[in-house]
Amino acid sequence: MLPIFRKPRLMQTDQKLITILDDTREIRDLLANSLAAEGYETRSYARATDFERELRQISPDVCIIDLGLPDRDGLALVNAVATRSQAAVLIISGRSNTQDKIVGLELGADDYITKPFEVAEVVARVKALLRRAKPASTPDTFGPIARFSGWTVDLDQHLLTAADGEIVRLSFAEGQLLRMFLSSPNRLITREHILDSLSGGQSENYERAIDVRVSRLRSKLQDDPNNPKIIKTIYGAGYIFIANVTA
């Protein structure tokens, strides 16, 4: 079982840390060199067991994961990283059919690139994920801690705390979606806006993934989809976050 990831990371640096998991050395080296040239710190792994072991000590900002691993099911690993860490997940895979992409996104990946790929595109996608990890450019009416409908959320740690003290971890994508809702309570947020914000403009295959992420966020908020009290669906348009948000 993948351990809960901890902070702080061992190294003392302000650089963003990108981990690369791929069993092909040439791909690891190519990505590591290209990302290092952009000022990022990188760590590369050929096997999932080594990657998982080191995640006990480090907290990467973005995890690049190949699905075709020799010692671990790639999709299961993606899901574990997405649900147990604060890292964004970028899949690189030779599986190019639409269903594989949808499954990867549904399991918590934040982006999906098929092989063969242009290295410049991978670097651009990593930059987009890091931009989305930052607070929205428009001022929030709250800091990293916000309260609504009996819940308290720590957006930096991606943790939800219920009124009874139960703690629920959000995935990176769920945290970004909740931040978007918190920034515009009681207003319609269109599907187009969500797709553009959470997919970095790469909206292909993301329609289904957005539905799944809204559903998972609802589930974690214990919001009955048949009688929602927090996230209301406006069919054909988008969603309204029905809550009073306080700091």
Side-chain angles (χ1 to χ4, degrees), residues 11-233:
M11 57 293 251
Q12 298 299 318
T13 176
D14 292 329
Q15 286 180 303
K16 297 298 184 181
L17 175 60
I18 316 299
T19 58
I20 304 162
L21 175 58
D22 194 294
D23 63 343
T24 303
R25 180 174 181 175
E26 290 78 7
I27 291 178
R28 295 196 307 273
D29 291 347
L30 185 62
L31 290 176
N33 290 336
S34 298
L35 289 164
E38 295 292 329
Y40 301 122
E41 182 175 1
T42 66
R43 292 198 177 191
S44 300
Y45 310 88
R47 300 178 64 84
T49 50
D50 297 330
F51 172 67
E52 292 177 284
R53 185 183 305 113
E54 191 152 344
L55 282 175
R56 299 179 185 183
Q57 303 296 332
I58 65 174
S59 297
D61 297 284
V62 177
C63 295
I64 300 175
I65 299 177
D66 178 27
L67 296 184
L69 302 172
D71 60 335
R72 183 81 149 89
D73 178 75
L75 286 172
L77 179 61
V78 165
N79 184 245
V81 173
T83 56
R84 296 177 183 229
S85 82
Q86 299 171 47
V89 178
L90 169 59
I91 289 175
I92 54 173
S93 175
R95 307 177 191 177
S96 60
N97 67 72
T98 299
Q99 187 58 38
D100 281 331
K101 293 180 181 180
I102 291 173
V103 170
L105 294 168
E106 287 181 348
L107 288 175
D110 298 282
D111 208 344
Y112 192 116
I113 294 180
T114 56
K115 297 179 180 178
F117 53 76
E118 294 289 338
V119 176
E121 181 182 6
V122 177
V123 173
R125 298 289 186 93
V126 168
K127 289 180 177 180
L129 289 172
L130 292 171
R131 285 195 300 270
R132 284 154 48 192
K134 297 178 181 179
S137 57
T138 53
D140 291 331
T141 56
F142 53 88
I145 307 297
R147 297 171 178 81
F148 62 95
S149 303
W151 291 92
T152 300
V153 61
D154 184 330
L155 291 166
D156 286 347
Q157 298 296 319
H158 292 178
L159 295 177
L160 275 171
T161 303
D164 62 4
E166 179 185 1
I167 296 177
V168 180
R169 179 173 288 279
L170 296 172
S171 71
F172 175 89
E174 291 162 353
Q176 298 309 301
L177 180 61
L178 181 55
R179 177 183 286 278
M180 187 181 302
F181 283 142
L182 291 169
S183 297
S184 301
N186 303 302
R187 298 179 184 176
L188 174 66
I189 301 179
T190 66
R191 289 180 58 81
E192 290 76 12
H193 178 69
I194 295 174
L195 284 166
D196 184 63
S197 298
L198 299 188
S199 71
Q202 304 292 328
S203 60
E204 183 181 4
N205 303 317
Y206 275 77
E207 287 271 359
R208 173 61 177 159
I210 293 299
D211 293 336
V212 170
R213 287 172 188 175
V214 170
S215 177
R216 287 185 174 180
L217 182 57
R218 271 201 183 113
S219 178
K220 291 183 178 182
L221 291 172
Q222 302 172 17
D223 194 29
D224 183 358
N226 296 317
N227 186 27
K229 303 296 184 183
I230 301 177
I231 302 174
K232 182 177 181 180
T233 300

